[in-house]
Amino acid sequence: RKEVEQDPGPFNVPEGATVAFNCTYSNSASQSFFWYRQDCRKEPKLLMSVYSSGNEDGRFTAQLNRASQYISLLIRDSKLSDSATYLCVVTKEYYKLSFGAGTTVTVRA
Amino acid sequence: EAGVAQSPRYKIIEKRQSVAFWCNPISGHATLYWYQQILGQGPKLLIQFQNNGVVDDSQLPKDRFSAERLKGVDSTLKIQPAKLEDSAVYLCASSLDGTTYNEQFFGPGTRLTVL
């Protein structure tokens, strides 16, 4: 079983729509969780950390469910600029990051 | 502030040839990482340096891959000899330190094609 699994998508949504997707992780001892964004042929960049109580950053909301070992990301009022691959990231021991394969989101006009 | 620099940006070689990649991290960042990202997959950590010491190289194919970080700043990753399956983007990242979570900043990557 992979350490981090994501639905690859693609999620194809119109501008203004809400899109949400999950990621599951296998190591129950995982400590920290993040969403990174990777634009086509670009490097990954940190989008947001995921806290146990859930957190928002503008139009983005992240949730963590430790009991079921999944993380979610919700994007409200999608913009064309939100088109990207979203990488779910989980820390292993000593803060080593383990990346999922990514979920591709395409926002159409 | 300058970001992580990598060169070359693209490299095409034939199998069994050698290749080297260079990375210059953000100034002051003690921790440097090399990742391999195969098309359609997430980045996979190859090696992590803390200053000029290796913290983790458990996923580095040591029979063909080597890396060094002399003087705790720049780093080079070498593949010798290359195989077809080494075709990937090689990403370098740096962070303030690797003992607690600090955001990792990635360079633009080197896209390697092995023919």
Side-chain angles (χ1 to χ4, degrees), chain B residues 27-99:
Chain B
S27 177
H29 280 196
T31 309
L32 185 147
Y33 312 80
W34 282 102
Y35 289 88
Q36 179 193 59
Q37 187 172 23
I38 293 172
L39 187 64
Q41 299 181 20
K44 183 184 83 170
L45 180 68
L46 293 176
I47 189 167
Q48 176 181 348
F49 291 95
Q50 182 75 11
N51 297 307
N52 60 350
V54 175
V55 173
D56 181 6
D57 62 357
S58 58
Q59 297 193 93
L60 187 74
K62 299 180 187 62
D63 58 333
R64 298 184 300 105
F65 286 65
S66 64
E68 60 182 9
R69 190 183 185 196
L70 298 176
K71 300 180 182 178
V73 182
D74 293 7
S75 177
T76 56
L77 177 70
K78 297 179 181 178
I79 308 175
Q80 180 180 14
K83 293 185 175 181
L84 297 176
E85 59 261 36
D86 297 333
S87 293
V89 176
Y90 291 84
L91 294 162
C92 178
S94 70
S95 65
L96 278 173
D97 71 60
T99 56

Side-chain angles (χ1 to χ4, degrees), chain A residues 38-106:
Chain A
Q38 187 169 28
D39 293 321
C40 187
R41 302 179 78 87
K42 298 285 190 180
E43 70 272 23
K45 292 183 179 178
L46 178 66
L47 176 67
M48 60 193 302
S49 301
V50 185
Y51 303 124
S52 297
S53 55
N55 49 297
E56 282 189 16
D57 184 358
R59 297 179 294 105
F60 297 82
T61 300
Q63 297 279 356
L64 168 63
N65 185 316
R66 284 191 182 272
S68 301
Q69 295 182 208
Y70 75 84
I71 308 153
S72 65
L73 182 66
L74 182 146
I75 307 172
R76 286 185 300 278
D77 188 22
S78 298
K79 311 291 185 190
L80 294 175
S81 56
D82 295 334
S83 297
T85 296
Y86 293 85
L87 300 167
C88 175
V89 183
V90 174
T91 62
K92 298 187 291 184
E93 68 277 8
Y94 305 116
Y95 298 90
K96 289 180 276 189
L97 304 185
S98 183
F99 285 80
T103 297
T104 299
V105 173
T106 302

